[in-house]
Amino acid sequence: MGQDPDAMSVAVAIVNYGTAEMVIEALPALRRELAPLPRRVVFIVDNASPGDDAARLAEHLATSGPGGGPDPEIRLIASERNGGFAAGNNLAFAAIRGLDWTPDAVLMLNPDAEPRPGALREMLTVMAERPKAGFVGPRLERADGTIWSGAFRFPTIMSEFSAGTGLSALIRRWPVVLPVCETPTQVDWVTGAALLARWATINELSGMDEKYFLYFEEVDLMYCAKRKNWQAWNAPKATVLHDEGTATGMQAGKPREGPMPDYWFKSWRRYYEKNHGRSYLLSAAIFKLAGINLGILQRYVRGRNYDLPEGFQAALAAHTIFGGKNYE
């Protein structure tokens, strides 16, 4: 028999970088989701944001609690450096370990993600009913109202190739993004935009790998967890509104404009090299580049453009095939 989801305690980690107003706007929905729980706390980590983000958050939190004073359940951590998403979450995890109580789970929530009513309880229910569920993620709702699963398979050499080609037959054969399901489903990994993690799992993994600045850190986290027999589950009855790209400038895996950031390539490389070795990394890069070239060719034949970020192929090759020393 599983836990009672209504008796579970939750800590929340929100990592902010230049998105203070989004964090403030999302807090009412988060408070609503947390209110029924017997114990809850929110840690907002400001990752050395430029401007006055930390001051703006501190000002708001000073008067957002009961009676117009501070809210003891929402706490601000001002980091002295921007170490990235993993480092920011690890600061929150350290603060959680300093509590005089131990949460059952921690919700890692992006500033541009807002849970719909009942989302957190549904994710807690899925976790409570499955003792080996280390991670639970919701389905996601875009700003235009469209829904997608927020659930994935781990990337592989063949999924890199098929995605590069853009050919639907190959993408269906080696998918990364999984279709929307109707019942809780075990998957490889789930979205990091609103990720409920069992606290015991986070502790067993010693938190997140800070050598990822941004991207692939949650994929790595769940890949490492799978090796320790923890599972990831998609909870389709839990919906989170995710205004994708508002915080990072990335949408559907691509920048809204300009080239891919350098740290994306470093994270892509680290994921493969750390978890599969350098030979696999090189094969993944070669197959990805081959797939892209095939995709460009087949679109050219059909008179269509291939939507690829500026300088992507050269940057990927530079970071992998010609990358020299690894990132360990």
Side-chain angles (χ1 to χ4, degrees), residues 59-264:
E59 178 186 19
H60 174 79
L61 297 180
T63 58
S64 66
D71 187 341
E73 295 181 346
I74 303 182
R75 309 175 190 183
L76 178 64
I77 301 172
S79 176
E80 296 180 352
R81 66 185 184 95
N82 178 17
F85 182 72
N89 276 301
N90 282 344
L91 285 175
F93 299 159
I96 292 167
R97 292 186 184 98
L99 295 170
D100 58 6
W101 54 277
T102 302
D104 295 293
V106 56
L107 175 66
M108 289 172 268
L109 191 66
N110 278 12
D112 55 6
E114 181 179 316
R116 293 302 197 192
L120 178 57
R121 189 187 186 282
E122 179 63 24
M123 287 193 287
L124 286 169
T125 298
V126 171
M127 179 173 284
E129 293 174 349
R130 297 161 178 85
K132 294 305 294 182
F135 303 94
V136 177
R139 69 179 187 176
L140 298 179
E141 178 184 349
R142 296 187 177 94
D144 64 4
T146 57
I147 297 292
W148 64 291
S149 69
F152 309 84
R153 288 183 180 170
F154 290 126
T156 65
I157 289 173
M158 290 309 300
S159 69
E160 295 289 0
F161 175 77
S162 63
T165 67
L167 295 171
S168 57
L170 292 179
I171 292 172
R172 285 194 299 269
R173 176 66 179 83
W174 292 285
V176 174
V177 182
L178 298 175
V180 174
C181 54
E182 298 301 323
T183 59
T185 302
Q186 186 179 347
V187 297
D188 284 345
W189 65 281
V190 289
T191 175
L195 176 61
L196 185 71
R198 193 180 295 272
W199 183 241
T201 309
I202 292 296
N203 273 333
E204 185 172 344
L205 296 171
S206 301
M208 303 183 80
D209 183 348
E210 296 187 16
K211 291 183 180 179
Y212 294 95
F213 181 77
L214 192 60
Y215 298 108
F216 292 93
E217 60 277 278
E218 76 269 43
V219 194
D220 177 82
L221 185 69
M222 281 170 260
Y223 189 85
C224 293
K226 185 176 182 180
R227 287 176 165 172
K228 295 180 178 290
N229 296 317
W230 291 106
Q231 301 166 354
W233 284 78
N234 179 233
K237 293 182 180 178
T239 302
V240 169
L241 175 63
H242 184 213
D243 193 4
E244 187 183 16
T246 303
T248 64
M250 296 276 284
Q251 193 167 28
K254 298 177 182 178
R256 288 181 170 177
E257 58 182 27
M260 293 286 275
D262 186 65
Y263 52 74
W264 185 93

Side-chain angles (χ1 to χ4, degrees), residues 304-315:
R304 297 172 58 187
N305 291 326
Y306 190 101
D307 184 19
L308 193 67
E310 175 188 340
F312 183 89
Q313 292 161 283

Side-chain angles (χ1 to χ4, degrees), residues 8-27:
M8 293 176 74
S9 57
V10 173
V12 181
I14 300 174
V15 178
N16 172 73
Y17 183 78
T19 54
E21 293 306 319
M22 280 194 291
V23 173
I24 291 169
E25 289 173 10
L27 282 177

